[in-house]
Amino acid sequence: MLRGSPERELAASWEADAAAAAAAKSQAAEAEEQLGVDAGAAGEPERPAREEQPKAAGPAPVPARPRAAEEGDARPARRPPPAPPLIPPRPARTLCHLVKARSRGRGYRRGSGSLRPVTVDSSKARTSLDALKISLRQLRWKEFPFGRRLPCDIYWHGVSFHDNDILSGQVNKFPGMTEMVRKITLSRALRIMQNLFPEEYNFYPRSWILPDEFQLFVAQVRMVKDGDRSWKPTFIVKPDGGCQGDGIYLIKDPSDVRLTGTLQSRPAVVQEYICKPLLIDKLKFDIRLYVLLKSLDPLEIYIAKDGLSRFCTEPYQEPNSQNLHHVFMHLTNYSLNIHSGKFIHSDSASTGSKRTFSSILCKLSSKGVDIKKVWSDIISLVIKTVIALTPELKVFYQSDIPTGRPGPTCFQILGFDILLMKNLKPMLLEVNANPSMRIEHEYELSPGVFENIPSLVDEEVKVAVIRDTLRLMDPLKKKKEKHFPDICMDRKHRVPPVSDRMSSSKLKGSSLSVARSQHPENPFPGKEDPGCELTGDPDSNPEAHLPSICLKQVFPKYAKQFNYLRLVDRMANLFIRFLGIKGTMKLGPTGFRTFIRNCKLSSSSLSMAAVDILYIDITRRWNSVTLDQRDSGMCLQAFVEAFFFLAQRKFKMLPLHEQVASLIDLCEYHLSLLDEKRLVCGRSRRPQSSPPQEVNPTTQPAAGSPAPRMIGANKLSHSRHALS
Ligand code: ADP
């Protein structure tokens, strides 16, 4: 088993790490080839987009402490002095050069003959503003810090999709994402996948929802204990919607759950506690990985090659009744540990209480750990988790941005919190819809007096994530590629890393500065990447000054390995098809009946009366446990439960996932026949000479009537014509 390295290794120089990094990078690249996996990635502390919740009362709460300034906090943070210019001033150029630059580079685009930069509305960026500004300067895009009357290409929101009425462009949040990653919703979504694919989804600790499943929790724990007397579990109770360790406590027995008071008003998730985490320097740590959900349909996922590791500040011991309340030993939250006297601020990426994930991988690699395997496990955890989240996200999406109505397209950076177990298996702790993009940290000048100072480690990782997300979402990219075919996206490190932009006196002796100057891939302070010189004039390539993109595509790249898991996604497509009214997220009884009829699921053993009873039973139960009481009807999770029930009845003897897959195949088959029938009817009814008609979303035909082909498979599944 791998153990934490001794204390003195904390002070080890970057040179050693850099050497290991090179090895780590090449291994990671190999890993990609092997499983179909890329290297990269790590993470940081949750900055809630949600409001702070009251703490749970009871025996072992996280102690009330002053909080580090976090996302959503109203507390104004003292700003650090403005950062030095990111792009070194260019030498004086001739008029000819300038004209060329205006017309070809510097973020200015051709659009119907005129030139314009990509425009970004940053008025709602909140605490991600500093990192966003740096990114925009690097990209030479145009920022609108107070918004704009005309539409922008991109809207950057600090918190949620619903900050604004946006009718076009792209927004960096998906509707419903905040709801989807709440602890209870995430646990439910993952549980459905665990029921279908227990082996594949064993990266999420067994969880129960309180108070609803308290009796189930008690019964299941008792059952396992009865079967294995040596099992001495620990559980962690986490309030729903909480963040930064808020209200979290550990228990040894179900009877220790605080059932009264807060639990009724604030439900929670109780989860098996991972007792044997991997330790470094005897400390527990977790990983914050940044994941870009670039598109929902088709699914596109990217993972950042680096992230952050957040360390506890008290040496770890397996939980026992004496240490159960030791927050600094068991919880890795930055917002908690920053208040420990043992928190180490460091400008080095490989030391201190917050480090880059790549530095952890280097360390592990130098100890002989197979980091290719670690990476491929992490990538598969991320893809599987996103696969669990997307079905309901699609329901939110069609409700907020119905097909045929004007609206923006969406993308989102997610923060994945992952714990490596002692055996190096990654376990998912949670997903954050609004990972902190702050690039400063609190520094305690004297007891109780804090100042915000720039955090090099945060800036290094987060600016790259935001900048490269923007590059991937560049709305004019296709045009750019047409106009600048000589673009060299994979040039390495053309922007000096943060450390190189700090004054040398400030970084004197810092391991980061040593690291950068000696890093084999760092072209500074040397000459430009010779590959770029092929373009002749750097102005001919608007991204010539940028480093290679730090986000690696993992889906659809590895779709082949994971597509079989997307059963609930296919169920969601059926669900959406029968939803009927635009804007709704719940299926009415008529919609459910139509689903049964159109898919030919009723029979002598399943009458329509039985279908109605099934609908009422399941819907009533789900409506009593879900928080969303906005409209009545059957939510997606209830539909999934009904679907499982129908699949089990129809395809007895098979394992659940095969039963479900068979029923989906059957439904899709009948619906495709129906669609074809409609198409044929439509053709025969249409006068020969008339051209194909585009579907008018407000007058879509009812079920049984033709669905014109040109609306496409995707739109077809979103169309509401199935209701009759
Ligand atoms: P929050 O959103 O409040 O930060 P998390 O789910 O991230 O809640 O949990 C907070 C911290 O508790 C994590 O960073 C991790 O250190 C620890 N933790 C959470 N769940 C587990 C678990 N199942 N096993 C071990 N440690 C856990």
Side-chain angles (χ1 to χ4, degrees), residues 183 238 243 245 271-274 284 331-333 430:
K183 290 178 172 60
K238 310 196 250 187
C243 49
Q271 193 169 76
E272 269 184 272
Y273 186 75
I274 300 154
K284 176 175 170 176
L331 305 190
T332 48
N333 299 76
E430 71 163 348

Side-chain angles (χ1 to χ4, degrees), residues 701-720:
S705 54
R709 184 70 86 185
M710 61 283 195
I711 64 175
N714 185 23
K715 287 195 177 170
L716 196 64
S717 73
H718 285 241
S719 69
R720 317 300 185 278

Side-chain angles (χ1 to χ4, degrees), residues 475-549:
L476 303 172
K477 186 139 229 157
K478 285 212 173 79
K479 282 187 191 167
K480 188 175 77 179
E481 276 162 9
K482 203 170 123 206
H483 290 292
F484 308 108
D486 51 352
I487 193 163
C488 37
M489 295 288 284
D490 282 334
R491 305 290 169 241
K492 303 279 180 189
H493 301 292
R494 288 199 190 86
V495 173
V498 178
S499 49
D500 293 342
R501 285 185 273 115
M502 301 294 291
S503 73
S504 53
S505 60
K506 198 163 180 184
L507 278 175
K508 214 171 187 176
S510 137
S511 56
L512 195 64
S513 66
V514 175
R516 293 307 170 202
S517 61
Q518 296 185 350
H519 197 283
E521 286 187 359
N522 177 19
F524 298 96
K527 55 181 183 311
E528 286 270 322
D529 182 342
C532 187
E533 285 165 13
L534 290 174
T535 62
D537 179 357
D539 288 330
S540 66
N541 174 5
E543 294 198 346
H545 62 293
L546 297 175
S548 60
I549 290 195

Side-chain angles (χ1 to χ4, degrees), residues 313-361:
T313 41
E314 195 178 312
Y316 184 78
Q317 290 166 10
E318 286 196 26
N320 58 43
S321 51
Q322 277 77 50
N323 68 33
L324 220 49
H325 318 316
H326 291 206
V327 173
F328 300 143
M329 176 187 288
H330 292 294
L331 305 190
T332 48
N333 299 76
Y334 163 84
S335 51
L336 297 172
N337 284 282
I338 184 99
H339 299 292
S340 148
K342 293 181 190 152
F343 189 92
I344 303 170
H345 286 288
S346 169
D347 282 344
S348 160
S350 57
T351 61
S353 298
K354 194 195 280 183
R355 312 179 194 178
T356 60
F357 179 46
S358 54
S359 79
I360 304 290
L361 287 176

Side-chain angles (χ1 to χ4, degrees), residues 46 50 183 205 236 238-239 242-246 248 250 271-275 284-286 310 312 330-333 417 419 428-430 432:
E46 160 67 323
R50 319 150 212 171
K183 290 178 172 60
I236 182 163
K238 310 196 250 187
C243 49
Q244 301 164 19
D246 182 23
I248 290 181
L250 304 188
Q271 193 169 76
E272 269 184 272
Y273 186 75
I274 300 154
C275 291
K284 176 175 170 176
F285 67 97
D286 75 353
R310 294 84 55 96
C312 278
H330 292 294
L331 305 190
T332 48
N333 299 76
D417 289 353
L419 193 69
L428 178 70
L429 297 179
E430 71 163 348
N432 297 289

Side-chain angles (χ1 to χ4, degrees), residues 473-718:
M473 302 314 302
D474 183 343
L476 303 172
K477 186 139 229 157
K478 285 212 173 79
K479 282 187 191 167
K480 188 175 77 179
E481 276 162 9
K482 203 170 123 206
H483 290 292
F484 308 108
D486 51 352
I487 193 163
C488 37
M489 295 288 284
D490 282 334
R491 305 290 169 241
K492 303 279 180 189
H493 301 292
R494 288 199 190 86
V495 173
V498 178
S499 49
D500 293 342
R501 285 185 273 115
M502 301 294 291
S503 73
S504 53
S505 60
K506 198 163 180 184
L507 278 175
K508 214 171 187 176
S510 137
S511 56
L512 195 64
S513 66
V514 175
R516 293 307 170 202
S517 61
Q518 296 185 350
H519 197 283
E521 286 187 359
N522 177 19
F524 298 96
K527 55 181 183 311
E528 286 270 322
D529 182 342
C532 187
E533 285 165 13
L534 290 174
T535 62
D537 179 357
D539 288 330
S540 66
N541 174 5
E543 294 198 346
H545 62 293
L546 297 175
S548 60
I549 290 195
C550 75
L551 293 152
K552 293 288 172 192
Q553 195 199 71
V554 294
F555 203 95
K557 190 171 183 183
Y558 306 124
K560 266 191 202 152
Q561 286 110 303
F562 297 95
N563 266 342
Y564 75 100
L565 299 171
R566 302 182 69 190
L567 293 182
V568 185
D569 211 64
R570 289 166 67 194
M571 276 183 243
N573 289 341
L574 297 174
F575 178 79
I576 290 169
R577 178 178 171 130
F578 290 94
L579 270 181
I581 309 158
K582 285 185 178 183
T584 184
M585 292 181 60
K586 291 189 177 168
L587 193 61
T590 317
F592 190 66
R593 280 176 140 249
T594 313
F595 154 69
I596 297 283
R597 273 211 202 96
N598 287 5
C599 297
K600 306 214 179 307
L601 300 182
S602 61
S603 62
S604 54
S605 64
L606 184 73
S607 66
M608 288 313 280
V611 167
D612 288 341
I613 292 170
L614 177 70
Y615 175 88
I616 292 167
D617 267 5
I618 293 184
T619 302
R620 193 178 289 155
R621 191 149 33 78
W622 273 96
N623 284 346
S624 70
V625 298
T626 49
L627 299 170
D628 176 21
Q629 306 289 346
R630 274 176 295 175
D631 41 17
S632 61
M634 180 182 249
C635 62
L636 176 68
Q637 285 159 328
F639 179 77
V640 168
E641 188 181 321
F643 203 93
F644 280 16
F645 172 82
L646 296 168
Q648 281 161 333
R649 273 179 64 112
K650 201 157 189 80
F651 301 98
K652 300 184 180 82
M653 313 305 290
L654 294 175
L656 180 64
H657 67 92
E658 284 183 33
Q659 292 172 334
V660 169
S662 305
L663 190 64
I664 295 173
D665 287 343
L666 188 74
C667 293
E668 289 175 347
Y669 169 73
H670 285 302
L671 293 174
S672 69
L673 286 185
L674 200 63
D675 289 341
E676 271 180 29
K677 214 164 113 189
R678 286 172 183 160
L679 196 69
V680 171
C681 292
R683 278 206 193 113
S684 60
R685 274 194 220 132
R686 208 169 45 224
Q688 287 299 315
S689 56
S690 65
Q693 299 290 304
E694 195 63 64
V695 173
N696 176 348
T698 55
T699 56
Q700 281 175 0
S705 54
R709 184 70 86 185
M710 61 283 195
I711 64 175
N714 185 23
K715 287 195 177 170
L716 196 64
S717 73
H718 285 241

